[in-house]
Amino acid sequence: MTLSATPEGSAFDSSRNNDAAATPLRILVIDDDRFTRVLLREMFLGVGATHVREAGDGHQALRLMDNEPWMPELILCDLQMPGMDGIEFLRELAARRFTGDLCLFSGTPRPVLEAAQRLAGAHLLRVIGILEKPVSEAALMQVLSKARHAGAEEPTEPSAPHPASKELTADELREGIANDRIELMFQPKVAVRGRRMAGAECLARFRHPTRGLLGPASFVPLAEQHHLIDALTVDVLRQAAQHLSSWYDSERDFKLSVNVSMLNLHALDLPETFERIVRKAGMQPSDFMLEITESALPSDYVVGLDILLRLRLKGFQLSLDDFGTGFSTMRSLSQMPFCELKLDQQFVQGAVNDAKAMTILESSVQLGHALNLNLVAEGVETPSEWALVEHLGCDEVQGYHVARPMPAAALRSWVHRWERSDVL
């Protein structure tokens, strides 16, 4: 396709008939510089993209997303733009529960890009690349390969609904929990040595009667705000125990990981409640890893420590999740009874090409080894990332290079395929 003169800031669809290498990804390029937008669009078309649109700033991009039945699966967003800059745009994407991939680019120093990536992660947005201007075709290919990889695994969960759809209400969530609308997806964790399946993380989804399967960003904050988080966590643990019981095989030994909110750590009888749930399903507390997010450790230190200690005494394993992203790291490790450390994906993914991320990752691994903790590298998406965390001495790997989250019915067949595969 040749370049065509178009009005400044226009947004349009571009198509090109391509061979089997073409990607059907819907891509949106946002930059206030028309030349840069057109150049990036042509680069995408040149490597097989078939649906590319462009916008001159965040306001125009949001109008495009809100007013047309077209939702991008990959957004390239400049940080420095008049009107609505890239940081403001990230905030708006988070409010709309955007579930696609993001790539941030800018002519600003790389530390600014890295900080913007961390901010996007805090907004629960998925950033698959940060690029410095001028952007090369090779860099775009790397971004596309990650986006393709994220969609190539099977089996996977259904597509998320339009992020601008009406938000879930507390009454809908309350009714959904009571009527079994919470469903679990499972993302495997694999041991680095021997490549055996070591466990799986239980990831909650909400089955809406008209909007399909909703991700946790749509309902977990709502549950915490409206005092529904206890009911939600209990339901997730109950389902996890039932699934594990149905899969039980004396030849297999793996744990299911269940996320626990800081707000769950307030009732002193929580350990008894959790123990009763798993034993009712015929399982043992030691079959479960409870993941506590580092930045969400209990504000009531005494009660939180009381509960965590008694959970450990009953046999539950405790994991410190998203290590390195919170503000209470050393206190968490020195005073709470954790047995596992999950290294945050932003450091795992950034360490291959970024010296600062590598330093943080290496230090975290050394600290984990010194404290005799099981080390899990989250967000491993490429063979080079696997090789790196293996070299550093991580014990387990979780991420799209292993598998995307999958329904319960698919997990057993995935295990058999994985054990027969040659994946590094």
Side-chain angles (χ1 to χ4, degrees):
M1 177 178 289
T2 58
L3 297 179
S4 58
T6 55
E8 182 67 23
S10 65
F12 57 90
D13 196 13
S14 302
S15 297
R16 170 181 291 185
N17 292 326
N18 241 324
D19 56 22
T23 172
L25 279 175
R26 298 185 298 274
I27 301 172
L28 176 60
V29 177
I30 310 171
D31 195 304
D32 61 303
D33 181 67
R34 178 179 178 274
F35 176 79
T36 299
R37 295 198 312 271
V38 172
L39 180 63
L40 289 172
R41 176 173 58 85
E42 288 298 308
M43 283 186 181
F44 274 124
L45 293 174
V47 297
T50 57
H51 302 286
V52 185
R53 291 190 177 190
E54 55 181 87
D57 67 7
H59 288 300
Q60 186 180 11
L62 293 176
R63 287 196 298 271
L64 177 65
M65 295 165 64
D66 290 345
N67 298 329
E68 298 187 27
W70 187 90
M71 181 55 53
E73 297 165 294
L74 170 62
I75 295 178
L76 266 75
C77 181
D78 187 20
L79 294 184
Q80 289 183 301
M81 296 181 292
M84 178 186 288
D85 61 40
I87 302 305
E88 294 175 292
F89 183 67
L90 291 178
R91 190 191 314 143
E92 292 295 330
L93 282 185
R96 285 163 167 77
R97 315 294 193 199
F98 179 68
T99 57
D101 293 331
L102 278 172
C103 176
L104 305 177
F105 67 100
S106 179
T108 59
R110 187 170 183 86
V112 177
L113 275 166
E114 293 169 350
Q117 182 181 25
R118 291 192 292 272
L119 175 63
H123 281 311
L124 303 181
L125 299 170
R126 172 176 150 80
V127 178
I128 60 173
I130 54 174
L131 306 176
E132 299 176 65
K133 289 184 176 180
V135 177
S136 68
E137 185 170 306
L140 283 187
M141 284 294 289
Q142 285 188 334
V143 170
L144 271 181
S145 68
K146 283 195 172 184
R148 287 193 186 112
H149 182 74
E153 295 283 353
E154 61 173 359
T156 188
E157 55 189 300
S159 299
H162 194 297
S165 300
K166 179 179 177 293
E167 291 188 0
L168 197 67
T169 67
D171 286 341
E172 286 179 308
L173 179 56
R174 187 177 292 105
E175 184 272 338
I177 295 174
N179 291 281
D180 299 324
R181 295 196 186 279
I182 301 298
E183 298 182 13
L184 299 189
M185 305 290 285
F186 298 87
Q187 187 172 32
K189 297 195 298 182
V190 171
V192 172
R193 294 182 179 179
R195 300 175 57 256
R196 65 175 178 80
M197 179 180 174
E201 182 178 356
C202 302
L203 301 169
R205 302 292 186 262
F206 184 90
R207 176 70 67 180
H208 193 277
T210 60
R211 293 166 54 197
L213 209 58
L214 305 182
S218 299
F219 61 89
V220 171
L222 188 68
E224 293 180 330
Q225 181 182 356
H226 292 275
H227 309 291
L228 296 171
I229 193 64
D230 286 346
L232 176 62
T233 303
V234 163
D235 187 38
V236 170
L237 181 61
R238 176 185 58 80
Q239 290 191 53
Q242 291 174 346
H243 283 299
L244 189 59
S245 177
S246 69
W247 295 328
Y248 183 75
D249 185 333
S250 59
E251 296 180 0
R252 298 189 185 280
D253 178 22
F254 65 87
K255 293 178 174 60
L256 287 184
S257 298
V258 174
N259 291 282
V260 175
S261 168
M262 174 270 290
L263 296 181
N264 292 131
L265 303 180
H266 66 91
L268 291 173
D269 64 348
L270 182 72
E272 283 75 23
T273 299
F274 279 14
E275 182 182 29
R276 186 166 54 251
I277 290 171
V278 301
R279 291 195 185 280
K280 183 176 180 180
M283 296 287 98
Q284 302 296 319
S286 57
D287 295 322
F288 295 88
M289 181 76 70
L290 305 180
E291 295 192 6
I292 316 293
T293 301
E294 176 196 351
S295 59
L297 287 170
S299 55
D300 189 331
Y301 170 75
V302 174
V303 172
L305 181 57
D306 182 307
I307 292 171
L308 291 176
L309 278 171
R310 295 187 65 246
L311 284 168
R312 285 288 285 121
L313 290 173
K314 289 183 178 298
F316 289 100
Q317 305 293 292
L318 299 180
S319 175
L320 181 57
D321 196 11
D322 295 338
F323 179 74
T325 61
F327 300 98
S328 54
T329 303
M330 295 310 156
R331 180 183 179 186
S332 304
L333 287 177
S334 64
Q335 300 182 4
M336 299 291 182
F338 291 104
C339 51
E340 180 179 273
L341 199 61
K342 296 193 76 174
L343 305 173
D344 188 75
Q345 63 180 355
Q346 70 178 354
F347 301 117
V348 172
Q349 295 172 356
V352 174
N353 299 309
D354 181 76
K356 287 194 295 185
M358 174 68 82
T359 299
I360 294 172
L361 184 61
E362 288 179 329
S363 300
S364 300
V365 170
Q366 291 170 5
L367 182 60
H369 284 157
L371 296 176
N372 295 316
L373 298 174
N374 187 61
L375 293 171
V376 180
E378 292 187 285
V380 173
E381 297 190 350
T382 66
S384 60
E385 290 168 358
W386 175 294
L388 173 62
V389 298
E390 181 178 19
H391 171 72
L392 291 178
C394 291
D395 300 294
E396 297 175 11
V397 164
Q398 181 179 355
Y400 289 172
H401 185 60
V402 175
R404 285 179 60 85
M406 64 189 71
L411 187 60
R412 184 177 290 274
S413 60
W414 177 87
V415 173
H416 291 304
R417 290 199 308 275
W418 171 265
E419 291 176 345
R420 296 194 302 269
S421 73
D422 295 323
V423 178
L424 292 177

